[in-house]
Coordinates of all heavy atoms in Angstrom, one line a residue:
Y1 N 106.1 84.7 96.6 CA 105.0 84.5 97.5 C 103.8 85.4 96.9 O 103.9 86.6 96.8 CB 105.3 85.0 98.9 CG 104.1 84.8 99.8 CD1 103.8 83.6 100.4 CD2 103.3 85.9 100.1 CE1 102.7 83.5 101.2 CE2 102.2 85.8 100.9 CZ 101.9 84.6 101.4 OH 100.8 84.4 102.2
V2 N 102.7 84.7 96.6 CA 101.5 85.4 96.1 C 100.6 85.6 97.4 O 100.2 84.6 98.0 CB 100.8 84.6 95.1 CG1 99.5 85.3 94.7 CG2 101.7 84.4 93.9
P3 N 100.4 86.9 97.8 CA 99.6 87.1 99.0 C 98.2 86.4 98.9 O 97.5 86.4 97.9 CB 99.4 88.6 99.0 CG 100.5 89.1 98.2 CD 100.8 88.1 97.2
G4 N 97.9 85.7 100.0 CA 96.6 85.0 100.1 C 96.5 83.7 99.5 O 95.4 83.0 99.7
S5 N 97.5 83.2 98.8 CA 97.4 81.9 98.2 C 98.6 81.0 98.3 O 98.4 79.8 98.5 CB 97.1 82.0 96.7 OG 98.1 82.7 96.0
S6 N 99.8 81.5 98.3 CA 101.0 80.7 98.4 C 101.1 79.9 99.7 O 101.6 78.8 99.7 CB 102.3 81.5 98.2 OG 102.4 82.0 96.9
A7 N 100.5 80.4 100.7 CA 100.6 79.7 102.0 C 99.9 78.4 102.0 O 100.2 77.5 102.8 CB 100.0 80.6 103.1
D8 N 99.0 78.2 101.1 CA 98.3 76.9 100.9 C 99.2 75.8 100.5 O 98.8 74.6 100.5 CB 97.1 77.0 99.9 CG 96.1 78.0 100.4 OD1 96.0 78.3 101.6 OD2 95.3 78.5 99.6
Y9 N 100.4 76.1 100.0 CA 101.3 75.1 99.3 C 102.5 74.8 100.2 O 103.5 74.2 99.7 CB 101.7 75.6 97.9 CG 100.5 75.8 97.0 CD1 100.0 77.0 96.8 CD2 100.0 74.7 96.4 CE1 98.9 77.2 96.0 CE2 98.9 74.9 95.5 CZ 98.3 76.1 95.4 OH 97.2 76.3 94.6
V10 N 102.5 75.2 101.4 CA 103.7 74.9 102.3 C 104.0 73.5 102.4 O 105.2 73.1 102.2 CB 103.4 75.5 103.7 CG1 104.5 74.9 104.7 CG2 103.4 77.0 103.7
S11 N 103.0 72.6 102.5 CA 103.2 71.2 102.7 C 103.9 70.6 101.4 O 104.7 69.7 101.5 CB 101.9 70.4 103.0 OG 101.0 70.6 101.9
L12 N 103.5 71.1 100.2 CA 104.1 70.6 99.0 C 105.5 71.1 98.9 O 106.4 70.3 98.5 CB 103.3 71.1 97.8 CG 101.9 70.6 97.7 CD1 101.1 71.2 96.5 CD2 101.9 69.1 97.5
W13 N 105.8 72.3 99.2 CA 107.2 72.8 99.1 C 108.1 72.1 100.1 O 109.3 71.8 99.8 CB 107.3 74.3 99.4 CG 106.9 75.2 98.2 CD1 105.7 75.9 98.1 CD2 107.6 75.4 97.0 NE1 105.7 76.5 96.9 CE2 106.8 76.2 96.2 CE3 108.8 74.9 96.5 CZ2 107.2 76.6 94.9 CZ3 109.2 75.3 95.2 CH2 108.4 76.1 94.5
K14 N 107.6 71.7 101.2 CA 108.4 71.0 102.2 C 108.8 69.6 101.7 O 109.8 69.1 102.3 CB 107.6 70.9 103.5 CG 107.6 72.2 104.4 CD 107.1 71.9 105.7 CE 107.3 73.1 106.6 NZ 106.8 72.9 108.0
K15 N 108.2 69.1 100.7 CA 108.5 67.8 100.2 C 109.8 67.8 99.3 O 110.4 66.8 99.0 CB 107.4 67.2 99.4 CG 106.2 66.8 100.3 CD 105.0 66.3 99.4 CE 103.8 65.9 100.3 NZ 102.7 65.4 99.5
I16 N 110.2 69.1 98.9 CA 111.3 69.2 98.0 C 112.6 69.4 98.9 O 112.7 70.3 99.7 CB 111.1 70.5 97.2 CG1 109.9 70.3 96.3 CG2 112.3 70.7 96.3 CD1 109.5 71.5 95.5
D17 N 113.5 68.4 98.7 CA 114.7 68.4 99.4 C 115.8 69.3 98.7 O 116.7 68.8 98.0 CB 115.3 67.0 99.6 CG 116.5 66.9 100.4 OD1 116.7 67.8 101.2 OD2 117.2 65.9 100.3
A18 N 115.6 70.6 98.9 CA 116.5 71.5 98.2 C 116.4 72.9 99.0 O 115.4 73.2 99.7 CB 116.1 71.8 96.8
P19 N 117.5 73.6 99.0 CA 117.5 74.9 99.6 C 116.5 75.8 99.0 O 116.2 75.8 97.8 CB 118.9 75.5 99.4 CG 119.7 74.3 99.0 CD 118.8 73.3 98.3
I20 N 115.8 76.7 99.8 CA 114.7 77.5 99.3 C 115.0 79.0 99.7 O 115.4 79.3 100.8 CB 113.4 77.1 99.9 CG1 112.9 75.7 99.4 CG2 112.3 78.2 99.6 CD1 111.6 75.2 100.0
F21 N 114.9 79.9 98.7 CA 114.8 81.3 98.9 C 113.4 81.7 98.5 O 112.9 81.3 97.4 CB 115.8 82.1 98.1 CG 117.2 82.0 98.6 CD1 118.1 81.0 98.1 CD2 117.7 82.8 99.6 CE1 119.4 80.9 98.6 CE2 119.0 82.7 100.1 CZ 119.8 81.7 99.6
V22 N 112.7 82.5 99.3 CA 111.4 83.0 99.0 C 111.6 84.4 98.4 O 112.4 85.2 98.8 CB 110.5 83.1 100.2 CG1 109.2 83.8 99.9 CG2 110.2 81.7 100.7
H23 N 110.8 84.7 97.3 CA 110.7 86.1 96.8 C 109.5 86.7 97.3 O 108.4 86.3 97.1 CB 110.8 86.1 95.3 CG 111.2 87.5 94.7 ND1 110.6 88.7 95.1 CD2 112.2 87.8 93.9 CE1 111.2 89.7 94.5 NE2 112.2 89.1 93.7
A24 N 109.6 87.8 98.2 CA 108.4 88.5 98.7 C 107.7 89.2 97.6 O 108.3 89.5 96.6 CB 108.8 89.5 99.8
P25 N 106.4 89.5 97.8 CA 105.6 90.2 96.7 C 106.2 91.6 96.5 O 106.7 92.2 97.4 CB 104.2 90.2 97.3 CG 104.3 89.9 98.7 CD 105.5 89.1 98.9
H26 N 106.0 92.0 95.2 CA 106.5 93.4 94.9 C 105.4 94.2 94.2 O 104.2 93.9 94.5 CB 107.7 93.3 94.0 CG 107.6 92.3 92.9 ND1 106.6 92.3 92.0 CD2 108.4 91.3 92.5 CE1 106.8 91.3 91.1 NE2 107.9 90.7 91.4
Y27 N 105.7 95.1 93.4 CA 104.7 96.0 92.9 C 103.6 95.3 92.1 O 102.5 95.9 92.1 CB 105.4 97.1 92.0 CG 104.5 98.3 91.7 CD1 104.3 99.3 92.6 CD2 103.8 98.3 90.5 CE1 103.5 100.4 92.3 CE2 102.9 99.4 90.2 CZ 102.8 100.4 91.2 OH 102.0 101.5 90.9
S28 N 103.8 94.2 91.6 CA 102.8 93.4 90.9 C 101.6 93.1 91.8 O 100.5 92.8 91.3 CB 103.4 92.2 90.2 OG 104.3 92.5 89.2
H29 N 101.9 93.0 93.1 CA 100.9 92.7 94.1 C 100.8 93.9 95.1 O 100.5 93.7 96.3 CB 101.2 91.4 94.8 CG 100.9 90.2 94.0 ND1 101.9 89.6 93.2 CD2 99.7 89.5 93.8 CE1 101.3 88.6 92.6 NE2 100.0 88.5 92.9
R30 N 101.0 95.1 94.5 CA 100.7 96.3 95.3 C 101.6 96.5 96.5 O 101.2 97.0 97.6 CB 99.2 96.4 95.7 CG 98.3 96.5 94.5 CD 98.4 97.8 93.8 NE 97.9 98.9 94.6 CZ 98.2 100.2 94.2 NH1 98.8 100.4 93.1 NH2 97.7 101.2 95.0
V31 N 102.8 96.0 96.5 CA 103.8 96.2 97.5 C 104.8 97.3 97.0 O 105.4 97.1 96.0 CB 104.5 94.9 97.9 CG1 105.6 95.2 98.9 CG2 103.5 93.9 98.5
N32 N 104.9 98.3 97.8 CA 105.9 99.4 97.4 C 106.4 100.0 98.7 O 105.8 100.9 99.3 CB 105.2 100.5 96.5 CG 106.2 101.5 96.0 OD1 107.3 101.6 96.5 ND2 105.8 102.2 95.0
L33 N 107.6 99.5 99.1 CA 108.2 99.9 100.4 C 108.7 101.3 100.4 O 109.1 101.8 101.5 CB 109.3 98.9 100.7 CG 108.8 97.5 101.1 CD1 109.9 96.5 100.9 CD2 108.1 97.4 102.4
S34 N 108.8 102.0 99.3 CA 109.4 103.3 99.2 C 108.3 104.4 99.4 O 108.7 105.6 99.5 CB 110.1 103.5 97.9 OG 109.2 103.7 96.8
L35 N 107.0 104.0 99.5 CA 106.0 105.0 99.6 C 105.1 104.8 100.8 O 104.6 103.7 101.0 CB 105.1 105.0 98.3 CG 105.7 105.6 97.0 CD1 104.8 105.4 95.9 CD2 106.1 107.0 97.2
R36 N 104.9 105.8 101.6 CA 104.2 105.7 102.9 C 102.7 105.2 102.7 O 102.2 104.5 103.5 CB 104.2 107.0 103.7 CG 103.7 106.9 105.1 CD 103.9 108.2 105.8 NE 105.3 108.4 106.1 CZ 105.9 108.5 107.3 NH1 105.1 108.5 108.3 NH2 107.2 108.7 107.4
E37 N 102.1 105.7 101.6 CA 100.7 105.3 101.4 C 100.5 103.9 101.1 O 99.3 103.4 101.2 CB 100.1 106.2 100.2 CG 100.8 106.0 98.9 CD 101.8 107.2 98.7 OE1 102.5 107.6 99.7 OE2 101.9 107.6 97.5
F38 N 101.5 103.1 100.9 CA 101.4 101.6 100.7 C 101.7 100.9 102.0 O 101.6 99.6 102.0 CB 102.4 101.2 99.6 CG 102.0 101.5 98.2 CD1 102.2 102.7 97.7 CD2 101.5 100.5 97.4 CE1 101.8 103.0 96.4 CE2 101.2 100.7 96.1 CZ 101.3 102.0 95.6

């Protein structure tokens, strides 16, 4: 999931008849759950 853009593609992903796991954003998109300042 790319913050601010992946949500635009929900309708396209829903057309795929397959199980889905989402990968939440990580440090590449400034997500760091181990530090309070983030």
Side-chain angles (χ1 to χ4, degrees):
Y1 180 81
V2 177
S5 63
S6 288
D8 296 338
Y9 299 97
V10 167
S11 61
L12 293 176
W13 281 110
K14 280 190 170 182
K15 293 179 181 179
I16 299 174
D17 184 20
I20 292 176
F21 286 94
V22 170
H23 201 307
H26 46 54
Y27 194 80
S28 296
H29 285 93
R30 299 290 296 168
V31 173
N32 187 344
L33 292 161
S34 73
L35 290 174
R36 188 172 294 238
E37 55 263 37
F38 284 77

